[in-house]
Amino acid sequence: MRFENKVALVTGSSRGIGKAIALELAKEGAKLIINCSKTKEDGLNVVKEIQKMGSDAILIKCDVSSEDDVKAMVKEGVDKFGKIDILVNNAGIVYDIPFFEKTSEQWKETINTNLMSMVYCCKEVALRMKEQKIKGSIVNISSTNGINCFHPDSMDYDVTKAGVNLLTEDLAMELAPMIRVNAVAPGWVNTKINADLPKNFVEEEVKKIYVRRFAEPKEIAKVVSFLASEEASFVTGSIIKVDGGYGGWSE
Ligand code: NAD
């Protein structure tokens, strides 16, 4: 198994892509620190699912946009499992609101949740990895929105994801050679974050995706698992698009 005796922290892992990543890492033997921001029910179900697979997991409630909360979460995780080998920064939010209607508070919330959270988590976890001389792996969940301009209504989100990409490249240099840092940039994925998209918009988007559908969370998780593993020992500072091909081509 890829992750025997490894401990992984996955932020925002009570549902969606984060949950799929946590289950994929657990399936390969990792012990998991599951993180939720509000209600605990979904996160506790993920913990139970992992325990049923024969691995160990704990749930930690933490708002990753708060540096103090992140410090407490990492301490609690290390107190429980002794170390963290793998960090997956997955938590994220999006507000689809036109530029002139989006408030400064909404901008700040998006920046703090999608970008500053990764700074806080990387700093806390990488400090411990260095102290403990761990050959660690960090995977940041970005988006194709951070590579190409997508729509002005998600401007704040797109800006944070572009920031995640450069943070990834800079941190890969800063933390080398012991810690590898990569990002996965998904295109459209079937999760709650997209639950309110209009049906006709989804149909038009699907026509532009070469494989003609949205991804399932598991398809993102498989790539994260590879990057987190020793099989990716020569991969660092990379932004891997997982978007089924997306090129504006429509029949
Ligand atoms: P989701 O809404 O289902 O999950 C987001 C998770 O982040 C939830 O568990 C939520 O509780 C958590 N979260 C939000 N704010 C938090 C906070 N302050 N503290 C802790 N946790 C918090 O959406 P998803 O599609 O699973 O998104 C996961 C990641 O994938 C996000 O970073 C998102 O930007 C990225 N992504 C998603 C898509 C897509 O099409 N679904 C595409 C590209 C990138």
Side-chain angles (χ1 to χ4, degrees):
M1 284 203 283
R2 269 177 173 169
F3 303 120
E4 215 160 3
N5 300 318
K6 303 282 185 197
V7 179
L9 164 60
V10 183
T11 68
S13 43
S14 58
R15 70 179 205 203
I17 296 171
K19 175 181 174 181
I21 293 168
L23 293 178
E24 189 62 34
L25 300 182
K27 197 182 82 186
E28 295 283 349
K31 297 186 182 79
L32 258 298
I33 300 164
I34 302 299
N35 158 241
C36 66
S37 59
K38 292 187 181 112
T39 52
K40 285 190 164 183
E41 199 186 335
D42 288 350
L44 287 171
N45 286 335
V46 178
V47 168
K48 277 187 209 149
E49 234 177 290
I50 290 171
Q51 287 166 343
K52 266 193 213 153
M53 292 160 119
S55 197
D56 200 358
I58 52 164
L59 173 68
I60 304 180
K61 192 172 166 209
C62 160
D63 172 358
V64 292
S65 68
S66 152
E67 188 167 16
D68 287 345
D69 263 32
V70 167
K71 282 184 178 170
M73 170 174 69
V74 172
K75 183 178 180 314
E76 192 181 334
V78 173
D79 284 350
K80 163 77 181 169
F81 289 123
K83 59 171 184 168
I84 296 173
D85 304 276
I86 298 160
L87 166 65
V88 182
N89 284 307
N90 163 79
I93 55 167
V94 63
Y95 285 116
D96 281 321
I97 300 173
F99 178 62
F100 289 108
E101 290 166 31
K102 198 171 285 177
T103 65
S104 300
E105 285 316 307
Q106 285 165 332
W107 268 90
K108 284 179 199 162
E109 191 188 343
T110 306
I111 291 168
N112 288 335
T113 306
N114 294 5
L115 182 58
M116 290 313 296
S117 67
M118 299 204 186
V119 175
Y120 304 146
C121 288
C122 287
K123 201 169 167 187
E124 281 307 298
V125 172
L127 267 174
R128 284 172 173 78
M129 285 174 170
K130 281 170 94 75
E131 276 167 15
Q132 295 178 283
K133 300 196 178 350
I134 286 172
K135 256 179 114 182
S137 175
I138 297 175
V139 184
N140 297 325
I141 304 302
S142 178
S143 166
T144 48
N145 288 34
I147 299 170
N148 297 114
C149 165
F150 176 68
H151 195 287
D153 287 1
S154 59
M155 193 185 294
D156 52 341
Y157 177 86
D158 302 354
V159 165
T160 61
K161 294 300 187 180
V164 167
N165 293 346
L166 274 180
L167 178 74
T168 301
E169 291 174 355
D170 278 342
L171 274 178
M173 192 189 285
E174 172 67 33
L175 300 177
M178 285 293 276
I179 304 169
R180 293 180 300 103
V181 188
N182 293 289
V184 169
W188 289 113
V189 188
N190 269 324
T191 67
K192 280 195 177 157
I193 215 169
N194 296 321
D196 297 329
L197 291 175
K199 198 165 169 273
N200 59 340
F201 174 80
V202 171
E203 282 167 4
E204 286 309 306
E205 282 303 297
V206 164
K207 285 184 196 165
K208 299 176 196 163
I209 302 169
Y210 301 164
V211 303
R212 294 290 189 272
R213 59 176 176 82
F214 280 20
E216 292 307 320
K218 199 176 176 174
E219 294 174 290
I220 310 302
K222 289 275 180 197
V223 180
V224 173
S225 172
F226 165 69
L227 289 172
S229 76
E230 263 303 292
E231 286 160 75
S233 54
F234 206 62
V235 186
T236 193
S238 293
I239 319 294
I240 314 283
K241 275 203 295 177
V242 186
D243 64 354
Y246 183 92
W249 167 55
S250 116
E251 296 178 323

